[in-house]
Amino acid sequence: MHVLLLAETLPDAERLASAWRTAAPHATAAAREVRVPGAAGSSTGGPGPSGPQAAAPGHGTGAGGGVLLAGAAIPVGRPDAVGPLAVGPDRPGPSAPGPAPSALPRDEGAVLAEAAARADVVVAYVTRLDGEGLHRGVVVEAAAAAAPHAVPVVVITDRSEVSRREWSTAGLSGVHEAADGDVTRVARTWTPGWAR
């Protein structure tokens, strides 16, 4: 059993990897730091480079506007791209469920995807998981790297502010709030009995 643990800082990733190995001594755990360009403050819910109320792709904010709910802009009203004549290269239409696209440089994304392909589960850690964190940051990079290889992605967070529907639509297999960083329960949930 091989687990890839990702966090915005290497000390956080290493701390989680150590806790995972303690809970499941027969599992191998690799720690990796993932720094996303322009995602400063994503784990704390701060606005990214596009501002706090960026519209989702394929949705306008003109006529319908948007509703700010739990830190994320939720489009309201008619999508910009409706019908076969309105969809094209310049207007791709509403996005399908699944992980948001990676913001990492191509070579870094490829290295992360290779590491995810060798893992049995990818675990991402953020202090707070909110709507912004499902669209930018380490959680998105974990899901984008793991999705082509059908590797489950689990998020460990101190506090989650998203619903099961939101995180599952973002390509995640599980979200666990871990009090005081205690990952023992999470490790035992996602590690088979033979690896404990």
Side-chain angles (χ1 to χ4, degrees):
M1 170 86 189
H2 180 67
V3 181
L4 177 62
L5 290 129
L6 307 174
E8 293 174 341
T9 66
L10 190 56
D12 280 342
E14 289 175 339
R15 178 178 53 81
L16 289 172
S18 175
W20 198 285
R21 285 189 291 266
T22 299
H26 298 291
T28 60
R32 193 176 283 258
E33 175 184 80
V34 177
R35 296 228 174 205
V36 180
S42 64
S43 67
T44 58
S50 59
Q53 294 191 40
H59 288 82
T61 56
V67 176
L68 186 63
L69 182 67
I74 299 178
V76 176
R78 178 183 161 115
D80 285 342
V82 176
L85 298 177
V87 178
D90 296 336
R91 302 177 85 142
S95 57
S102 174
L104 291 176
R106 185 172 293 183
D107 57 336
E108 289 181 36
V111 169
L112 187 58
E114 282 182 37
R118 292 189 302 269
D120 295 300
V121 65
V122 174
V123 179
Y125 170 75
V126 290
T127 55
R128 184 175 86 184
L129 181 62
D130 56 12
E132 179 72 17
L134 292 178
H135 295 93
R136 183 180 301 115
V138 68
V139 172
V140 170
E141 300 307 328
H149 311 289
V151 176
V153 177
V154 176
V155 175
I156 296 176
T157 183
D158 298 334
R159 185 170 133 202
S160 175
E161 297 175 355
V162 295
S163 70
R164 181 183 182 109
R165 178 177 293 178
E166 290 171 307
W167 59 253
S168 63
T169 300
L172 305 178
S173 299
V175 172
H176 299 273
E177 289 185 346
D180 300 322
D182 179 24
V183 298
T184 302
R185 175 181 49 85
V186 182
R188 290 186 177 156
T189 299
W190 287 93
T191 306
W194 59 263
R196 289 188 222 142

